[in-house]
Amino acid sequence: MQRLYDFIRRHPTGVDTFWAVILVGFSCLQIVEAPEHPRQAAWSIQALVALGMGAVVALRRRVPEKMLLLVIGLGLAQVALNVHPQIADFAMLVIVYTVASAGERWASRLALVGGLFAAPVAQVRWMEMAGGTDGTPEKIFFVVIMTVPFVLAWVLGDSMRTRKAYFAQLEERASRLEREREAQAKVAVAAERARIARELHDVVAHNVSVMVVQADGAAYVMDTSPEQARTALETISTTGRQALAEMRRLLGVLRTGEHQEAGEYVPQPDVQQIEDLVETVRGAGLTVDFKIEGTPRPLPSGVELTAYRIVQEALTNTRKHGGPDAGASVRLVYFDDGLGLLVEDDGRGAAHEVYEDGGADGQGHGLIGMRERIGMVGGTLDAGPRPGGGFRISALLPLKPAH
């Protein structure tokens, strides 16, 4: 049975043609068996009208407006040639329903008007042919009865039009929501990739630069001071392990569900680890003055990670672009409604301007990444050269509740 329904949906014109053939066949039988009447049109004219009505049923879905005009013409021809009603006239109701449900608006209105006037015009014509103009109650009742099917067909068709429009609107809305979900998913993926890229940049730029500095120092004092070389190599080993651990954690985000199963990724860096970061940088040969002002307290995880990464990036930039004798200072200030960060150095500040524009490290992701991070937590950033040399990075992070 399902195959039959699928066939009917795939071949609507074929189904309409089948019913048109049946309709014309019964109409021809009616014409042949009808008694001859002196005022009745010839059987050939009646057969042509029946064939025309059959064509209307067969092609009603393809060209409904044209078939409506054809029905109107056939109806007027029946009135003019005195062709009595026949079974094929059922096509009038079919085309009224079709144009009301799927045709143009003008065709729908024309079908309604034609349906309302069809019975009265036919009744008047038959009364003239019969030689009388007496409008008896029976004839008025007949006109009303003959008009009702046309009105019902039009109302049913117009209801189907409204229903189709409603379902089309629901489908369009569902499709739009699906597109919006896909767009939001793409935006989320892009944001996650950008976050991971910033994290990787911070990890690689900081740890690798420390390892390079320590490796150069170890190579320089290898022969003259083996103990210093050994210390530098230990620093390289520790820094490398930390970098691998953080990179493993970041890359684990890309693997669905792995972070739930493995449970071996290190936590996100926080403000308390800034002191360890400063000690690592000091061990790499950069003089850093570190102070905390205010009363330390728990912060939202996003604020803590942002603060750590800003200090890490600022010290990395100082080590890379500040020169051999540069020193730095780091200040953490706890306010009532925010956390202040101040990182300054006395190196070659102009190099930072080049770095920010993308010249020094080739990409310029450092300060750009800082602004993106601070923007995500609703903070502000001020970065630029210091008067008299060096570079200053000042940030204010609002202490919003963590989500």
Side-chain angles (χ1 to χ4, degrees):
M1 186 62 69
Q2 185 63 37
R3 292 183 178 179
L4 177 61
Y5 292 154
D6 294 340
F7 176 83
I8 291 175
R9 284 194 294 267
R10 290 195 303 267
H11 304 85
T13 303
V15 175
D16 290 339
T17 302
F18 171 77
W19 290 114
V21 171
I22 293 179
L23 187 65
V24 172
F26 278 105
S27 185
C28 290
L29 289 177
Q30 179 187 9
I31 294 172
V32 172
E33 296 178 358
E36 189 67 24
H37 192 279
R39 293 183 177 273
Q40 186 173 339
W43 67 269
S44 58
I45 297 178
Q46 298 181 54
L48 290 176
V49 172
L51 290 174
M53 295 295 183
V56 169
V57 174
L59 301 176
R60 67 186 184 93
R61 299 178 194 265
R62 289 183 174 272
V63 283
E65 293 82 7
K66 293 182 180 179
M67 292 302 101
L68 175 64
L69 298 177
L70 178 58
V71 160
I72 294 175
L74 292 174
L76 294 176
Q78 284 182 286
V79 172
L81 300 176
N82 194 29
V83 177
H84 284 198
Q86 50 185 295
I87 297 176
D89 290 342
F90 182 76
M92 295 182 178
L93 297 176
V94 174
I95 195 61
V96 168
Y97 165 82
T98 301
V99 295
S101 62
E104 298 290 340
R105 277 297 181 182
W106 66 265
S108 176
R109 299 188 183 97
L110 180 60
L112 178 60
V113 173
L116 293 176
F117 282 93
V121 170
Q123 184 63 34
V124 170
R125 176 58 176 167
W126 294 337
M127 291 173 62
E128 291 179 356
M129 296 296 296
T133 57
D134 184 17
T136 60
E138 292 81 4
K139 293 179 181 179
I140 296 177
F141 179 75
F142 174 79
V143 170
V144 173
I145 292 299
M146 294 301 296
T147 304
V148 169
F150 288 97
V151 176
L152 292 178
W154 186 88
V155 171
L156 181 60
D158 192 68
S159 300
M160 289 298 297
R161 177 195 293 271
T162 303
R163 185 177 179 183
K164 291 177 182 177
Y166 174 73
F167 281 114
Q169 184 179 8
L170 290 181
E171 291 178 357
E172 193 278 334
R173 181 181 179 183
S175 177
R176 185 177 66 253
L177 291 176
E178 182 66 23
R179 292 194 299 269
E180 290 178 357
R181 281 194 295 269
E182 292 178 357
Q184 292 174 357
K186 291 180 180 179
V187 171
V189 170
E192 183 67 9
R193 289 178 177 176
R195 185 188 69 82
I196 294 174
R198 289 193 299 268
E199 293 287 321
L200 287 175
H201 171 271
D202 294 339
V203 171
V204 173
H206 170 72
N207 292 292
V208 173
S209 63
V210 171
M211 294 167 66
V212 170
V213 171
Q214 293 293 325
D216 290 341
Y220 182 75
V221 299
M222 180 67 70
D223 298 329
T224 59
S225 181
E227 290 297 327
Q228 293 184 9
R230 184 180 298 108
T231 302
L233 292 176
E234 291 177 353
T235 302
I236 293 174
S237 177
T238 302
T239 304
R241 289 191 180 94
Q242 293 177 353
L244 287 176
E246 289 201 46
M247 292 180 66
R248 187 182 300 113
R249 174 181 56 79
L250 293 174
L251 295 177
V253 177
L254 302 177
R255 303 187 181 97
T256 304
E258 182 174 333
H259 63 285
Q260 299 177 354
E261 300 172 1
E264 48 183 45
Y265 303 127
V266 297
Q268 292 275 17
D270 53 24
V271 173
Q272 295 181 356
Q273 297 183 30
I274 292 180
E275 187 172 0
D276 297 334
L277 173 66
V278 171
E279 291 297 330
T280 302
V281 174
R282 287 171 178 169
L286 179 65
T287 302
V288 182
D289 181 25
F290 178 62
K291 290 184 179 180
I292 299 178
E293 301 177 6
T295 303
R297 57 185 179 276
L299 305 175
S301 59
V303 173
E304 295 216 9
L305 176 61
T306 300
Y308 180 91
R309 292 305 187 196
I310 290 174
V311 174
Q312 183 185 53
E313 182 65 31
L315 294 178
T316 299
N317 290 346
T318 299
R319 190 169 53 251
K320 292 172 63 177
H321 309 291
D325 299 326
S329 64
V330 178
R331 298 288 185 273
L332 268 66
V333 183
Y334 286 88
F335 299 104
D336 293 337
D337 57 350
L339 175 67
L341 295 175
L342 179 62
V343 183
E344 296 179 307
D345 66 59
D346 54 5
R348 297 193 302 268
H352 289 290
E353 295 180 288
V354 177
Y355 172 73
E356 181 180 6
D357 294 335
D361 76 338
Q363 296 297 329
H365 290 167
L367 297 180
I368 295 176
M370 290 185 190
R371 290 193 174 91
E372 291 179 353
R373 286 185 180 279
I374 292 179
M376 291 177 63
V377 297
T380 57
L381 174 69
D382 182 20
R386 292 176 57 201
F391 202 79
R392 170 185 295 170
I393 294 177
S394 176
L396 179 60
L397 308 178
L399 302 185
K400 296 181 180 179
H403 295 286

